[in-house]
Structures are given as C-alpha cells and as structure tokens.
C-alpha cells in the first residue's frame, strides 16, 4: 500500500480542542495554575475508554480548562497543524467551542487571536490554507448562542463559518434556526453535526432549517433511503470520522461502519479525525482505517478529492489541490 500520509487532503471535521494531548494539557495547566481533576498523564489516558458521546464530552470539557491564553491556543494549533502537515493535510477547517472557553473565563477574542496566529504559522511554514468554524454548543441555551454571535459579528470576516456540536440527542438542529439565519446574514458558511448519535430526521432538519452546506458525521443518514438520495443528488458532503464513530460506539466496530454504503450510494463522503488526541488516531490513521476496509488507492484518492470539493477553499486553491491529488494518484 502506498503511503497515505503523502496523499494531499483537506481536514474538515477537526475540533482543535480535541487535539489536546495529555502531555500538553498538563504542561499548560501547570503554566496557568489550573488544577486538572486527574492524578497524572497515565490517569488521564486511562479514562479514554468511552461508552458514548456524553462520556467523551465530560472528559473533553474537563481538559479544556487548561487552555487560558492566546499563546495556549496558538501552541495547541501549531502542534496539530505540524502533525497534520506531516500527514498530507493541505487545507484545514477547524472547529472551536467559544462558549466552553467563556465559561472558563476566556473571551472569544483571545481564542480567535491564538488560533489565527497558529494558522498563519502553518501558512508560512507548510503552505497550508484554512480557517475557523465557530461551533455552537447545542446543550447550552439558545440565548447563549445568540450572545456569541453578537460578540463575533465584528470579526465575521476573520471566521469561515458556524457549526453545531456537543450532545446531540434531545437538542435538534431546529432549535438554532434563528442563530444560523443570522450567521448566514453575517456571511458565514454553515455546517452542523447531525446523525452521529441522533436520527436521520436531525440531518433533514439541519438541511432544511439551518440550510447547512455540509453535514458533520451524518452516518445515521443510511437509515433513510430518501435522505441518502437527496444528499447524493444535491452533492451535500458528509464529514465522516471513522475512528471517532468506533470509539464513541456510534457503530459496533469498523467493519460495521456505513462508509461503503454511503460511497456506493453516491454521497460525497470525506474522511476526518474529529478529536484525534482522544480517539486513537489522526487523519492518516483514519485513512489507514478506511484502507483496511478494502478501499483501494483510486478510491482513497477520490475521498481526498471529495475533501477538497467539500471545503470552503477558493476555486483556485481547490484546482491546485485537486491537481496535487491527481499527480499523487498517477504515481501511486
Ligand atoms: N460530536 C459532538 N460534539 C463534539 C464532538 C463530536 O464528535 N467532538 C467534539 N465535540
Ligand atoms: Zn465532531
């Protein structure tokens, strides 16, 4: 098998806080005088045994208390971007959760400043492009999401889009229709997590009521043939995260993952790592997992092309990256 780390690709479903490795969490906590509720790095890692989305989110939000300053966010981003560049990532659209940081006393401007500094470093050092997607934490009140939009409105030009994450079941996309309408008026792209643990009906809601351009996860779409046909016909991309789905038990095991069915139905599927520090693999490991399901080099290159098509990069950048992928496939 050819080296999939050299396959040029975009990462479109990546929570930057989910790249926080235990070593960095403890070193930032020490620097910031924050006491993490874990004895040490081994104790923290021993808790990476999740039973569902919520069991992960509890640990994830707890580790996020270590992040306090713009420098912290810049270091976090650069650590991820360096690793991603080494795994062939040429463009990245990065989620972050400002409402969680605000609860830790960190203003959204601090987070944006730090992450943008990290992206600038990656542009200079690795010729990477990308941007930020502000995620609405859906299990917090809608009024909190509205207040966040007010705060970021003056900086909307520095942000690529709006997303929706956190605990899914019981928090349908329709709750955030007004928030997403306002985001669209600010010129932001729209994406949402739907159909990870929640039903296919949530994917329909995200499409119809939030008017999303991509669906994050979306794997439960396989339960609804009309939805699959709709996604394929309208070329609405899904940002699929195979190792995440296994670790959060959204699928029983990798072999049971609906990826092959989605691809065969003609859906524009992309491969991503979600929260790689927590889920046992960065993007290269996710492509390797897909290869282990029997996807050949041509199919893997097509998945990488899908990631470029599904991105919010400009047309010239997309054309350049697709040319890179085709050159890779021709020599593979
Ligand atoms: N789902 C929902 N919320 C999240 C995730 C996820 O996979 N990762 C980080 N926040
Ligand atoms: Zn996610």
């Amino acid at each position: 098998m050819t080296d999939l780390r050299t396959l040029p690709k975009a990462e479109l479903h990546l929570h930057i806080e989910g790249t926080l490795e235990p070593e960095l969490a403890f070193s930032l906590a020490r620097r910031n005088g924050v006491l993490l509720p874990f004895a040490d790095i081994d104790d923290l890692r021993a808790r990476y045994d999740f039973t569902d989305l919520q069991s992960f989110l509890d640990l994830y939000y707890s580790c996020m208390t270590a992040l306090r300053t713009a420098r912290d966010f810049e270091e976090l981003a650069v650590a991820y971007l360096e690793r991603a560049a080494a795994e062939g990532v040429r463009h990245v659209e990065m989620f972050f959760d400002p409402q969680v940081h605000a609860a830790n006393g960190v203003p959204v401007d601090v987070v944006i400043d730090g992450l943008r500094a990290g992206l600038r470093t990656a542009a200079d050092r690795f010729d990477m492009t990308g941007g930020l997607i502000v995620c609405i934490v859906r299990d917090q009140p809608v009024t909190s999401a509205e207040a966040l939009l007010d705060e970021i409105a003056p900086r909307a030009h520095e942000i690529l889009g709006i997303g929706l994450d956190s605990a899914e079941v019981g928090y349908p996309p329709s709750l955030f229709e007004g928030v997403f309408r306002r985001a669209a008026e600010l010129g932001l792209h729209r994406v949402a997590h739907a159909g990870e643990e929640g039903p296919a009906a949530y994917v329909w809601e995200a499409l119809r009521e939030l008017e999303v351009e991509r669906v994050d996860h979306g794997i439960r779409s396989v339960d609804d043939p009309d939805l699959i046909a709709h996604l394929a016909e309208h070329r609405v991309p899904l940002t699929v995260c195979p190792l995440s789905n296994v670790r959060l038990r959204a699928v029983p095991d990798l072999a049971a993952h609906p990826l092959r069915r989605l691809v065969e139905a003609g859906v524009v599927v992309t491969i991503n790592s979600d929260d790689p520090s927590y889920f046992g693999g960065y993007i290269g490991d996710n492509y390797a997992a897909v290869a282990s399901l029997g996807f050949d080099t041509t199919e893997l290159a097509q998945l990488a092309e899908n990631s470029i098509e599904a991105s919010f990069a400009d047309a010239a950048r997309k054309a350049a990256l697709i040319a890179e992928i085709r050159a890779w496939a021709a020599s593979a």
Side-chain angles (χ1 to χ4, degrees):
M1 173 52 74
T2 40
D3 185 356
L4 294 172
R5 285 170 308 182
T6 62
L7 168 59
K9 53 183 82 72
E11 178 140 62
L12 306 178
H13 186 153
L14 183 278
H15 302 263
I16 193 61
E17 300 93 340
T19 69
L20 180 58
E21 293 285 344
E23 291 75 11
L24 185 58
F26 271 93
S27 87
L28 295 180
R30 200 173 316 114
R31 188 161 89 192
N32 293 324
V34 170
L35 189 63
L36 290 175
F38 317 108
D40 54 29
I41 288 169
D42 290 339
D43 175 40
L44 172 51
R45 265 198 212 286
R47 297 170 195 242
Y48 280 23
D49 183 21
F50 310 114
T51 51
D52 57 11
L53 175 58
Q54 189 62 56
S55 67
F56 155 69
L57 291 170
D58 292 343
L59 185 74
Y60 168 75
Y61 292 139
S62 174
C63 288
M64 279 163 68
T65 60
L67 295 159
R68 296 294 161 124
T69 67
R71 180 179 161 206
D72 298 344
F73 286 95
E74 180 177 358
E75 288 177 11
L76 177 70
V78 170
Y80 159 72
L81 290 162
E82 199 163 17
R83 195 161 176 167
E87 297 190 4
V89 174
R90 309 282 292 113
H91 177 88
V92 57
E93 298 178 5
M94 192 183 274
F95 294 134
F96 66 111
D97 287 331
Q99 288 156 289
V100 179
H101 302 303
N104 295 333
V106 186
V108 66
D109 282 331
V110 168
V111 185
I112 294 173
D113 289 345
L115 295 178
R116 281 176 57 83
L119 284 167
R120 276 195 300 276
T121 299
D124 293 345
R125 284 172 51 192
F126 314 123
D127 184 32
M128 265 167 101
T129 48
L132 301 177
I133 299 181
V134 171
C135 268
I136 300 299
V137 175
R138 67 207 298 166
D139 48 350
Q140 291 198 16
V142 175
T143 48
S144 162
E146 287 165 346
L148 172 60
L149 268 202
D150 288 338
E151 266 195 280
I152 62 166
R155 302 188 73 167
H157 59 286
E158 295 177 86
I159 295 163
L160 210 46
I162 186 173
L164 186 65
D165 70 358
S166 201
E168 184 182 6
V169 175
Y171 302 95
S174 54
L175 288 171
F176 298 93
E177 189 189 353
V179 174
F180 271 62
R181 195 179 326 112
R182 171 103 194 281
E185 286 162 11
L186 289 171
L188 297 176
H189 287 291
R190 282 140 289 138
V191 301
H193 284 55
E196 178 185 17
E197 284 189 342
Y202 282 17
V203 177
W204 278 122
E205 272 188 33
L207 295 169
R208 289 176 172 154
E209 301 191 40
L210 306 187
E211 299 188 6
V212 297
E213 297 155 82
R214 295 195 296 252
V215 176
D216 297 311
H217 294 298
I219 55 171
R220 296 275 38 101
S221 302
V222 287
D223 300 333
D224 181 341
D226 291 342
L227 175 56
I228 289 297
H230 178 93
L231 294 170
E233 182 188 347
H234 296 278
R235 297 193 71 71
V236 180
L238 300 185
T239 62
V240 172
C241 309
L243 294 178
S244 165
N245 295 151
V246 172
R247 290 296 281 266
L248 298 188
R249 307 194 193 176
V251 295
D253 55 36
L254 191 60
H257 198 285
L259 179 66
R260 175 62 78 185
R261 277 184 283 161
L262 292 165
V263 168
E264 281 180 357
V267 178
V268 181
V269 172
T270 69
I271 302 301
N272 308 271
S273 69
D274 207 4
D275 300 282
S277 164
Y278 294 91
F279 298 152
Y282 282 74
I283 195 160
D285 304 299
N286 277 274
Y287 272 80
V290 173
S292 79
L293 289 173
F295 283 73
D296 65 21
T297 301
T298 308
E299 291 175 309
L300 293 161
Q302 182 59 53
L303 290 168
E305 274 204 33
N306 290 353
S307 74
I308 307 303
E309 176 190 337
S311 78
F312 301 130
D314 66 36
R317 178 69 172 165
K318 284 187 181 187
L321 293 179
I322 284 176
E324 283 186 24
I325 293 169
R326 294 194 178 161
W328 180 93
S331 67

